[in-house]
Amino acid sequence: MTKLSVNINKLATLRNARGGDNPNLLQAAKDIERFGADGITVHPRPDERHIRYDDVAALKKIITTEFNIEGNPTEEKFVELVLKNKPTQVTLVPDATGQLTSNHGWDTIKHQSYLSEIIARFKKAGIRVSIFVDPSIEIIEGAAKTGTDRIELYTEAYAREYTEGRKETAILPYVKAAQKANELGLGINAGHDLDLNNLKYFYEHIPQLLEVSIGHALICDAIYYGLENTVQMYKRKLN
């Protein structure tokens, strides 16, 4: 079964826009789980413009499904946050400071030594590790040498080409990357710009897809369809 982890960054952005605690992030996470999501994802950034570091500790106490924390491990503050809160999974993303959103995966060849060291540090603490990567055979092979448990395929290129009407071309590098990951014993996650239009096709073509992490599109859809209905709509795309 492919799990749906809902990224709640956008709910935190909405809360922070007015101050106070509306929407209440903890209640939203509880409700999203109750509505059928298999996990909650957060991506705290150094400027805390959406998810705050103290949100992570509060969420850890109440989440009953899988908790996934994304971020750049070159920030020691992020590493300490993860080690202190021990989520189910940490997803390592090579974001630059101040970056609007994630826009590329790791170069697992150039940064192989560093990734191996930081991954070992998280795994020693009993945390499953996934690393954000582009759908490249060489990058997947490099990822396997780092000791990571999983990869997360960066799906922005797929989503863009799908919208342009080239879904067969769009999915091909992801299928090849997934096949290589399976061959090398890596678990497969995916995320970025997956939505109600393109998710089903991606799910149907990626062998042994374990998890998708979706935030922006899902929260936008919830404005029109309601949060409970939207979570269930996305879940139906994964079976």
Side-chain angles (χ1 to χ4, degrees), residues 34-207:
R34 182 167 56 86
F35 297 154
D38 306 293
I40 300 293
T41 290
V42 295
H43 189 149
R45 289 183 164 87
D47 61 7
E48 299 185 81
R49 65 181 181 269
H50 33 62
I51 293 295
R52 300 169 183 151
Y53 276 52
D54 58 3
D55 289 331
V56 174
L59 286 163
K60 168 65 177 178
K61 295 177 182 177
I62 60 97
I63 289 174
T64 59
T65 57
E66 292 197 351
F67 190 24
N68 174 44
I69 304 178
E70 299 179 344
N72 192 334
T74 62
E75 297 283 344
E76 185 60 27
K77 184 179 178 183
F78 172 80
V79 175
E80 292 172 359
L81 179 76
V82 173
L83 292 175
K84 181 178 180 180
N85 289 282
K86 290 187 169 59
T88 314
Q89 176 177 269
V90 59
T91 300
L92 310 185
V93 184
D95 282 344
T97 300
Q99 190 166 315
L100 179 63
T101 187
S102 306
N103 64 9
H104 66 284
W106 287 97
D107 183 335
T108 59
I109 300 167
K110 180 179 179 181
H111 300 293
Q112 191 169 115
S113 178
Y114 167 73
L115 286 169
S116 297
E117 291 176 8
I118 194 66
I119 288 167
R121 191 172 172 189
F122 287 126
K123 290 180 71 171
K124 185 178 180 180
I127 303 167
R128 187 175 74 221
V129 182
S130 178
I131 56 176
F132 200 58
V133 296
D134 296 302
S136 157
I137 296 299
E138 293 77 17
I139 292 298
I140 303 301
E141 290 173 338
K145 296 177 182 177
T146 66
T148 190
D149 300 295
R150 297 186 183 185
I151 55 165
E152 179 173 332
L153 293 171
Y154 170 45
T155 50
E156 193 232 355
Y158 161 76
R160 183 180 62 252
E161 290 191 50
Y162 187 98
T163 301
E164 294 169 353
R166 295 181 286 130
K167 62 183 181 181
E168 293 86 359
T169 303
I171 199 67
L172 188 57
Y174 292 89
V175 172
K176 291 180 177 179
Q179 289 171 339
K180 177 57 68 172
N182 287 328
E183 176 188 320
L184 296 172
L186 294 172
I188 303 170
N189 298 340
H192 206 91
D193 290 347
L194 294 174
D195 60 26
L196 287 173
N197 294 317
N198 61 41
L199 179 58
K200 184 73 171 179
Y201 187 78
F202 189 85
Y203 162 76
E204 289 175 339
H205 287 81
I206 301 303

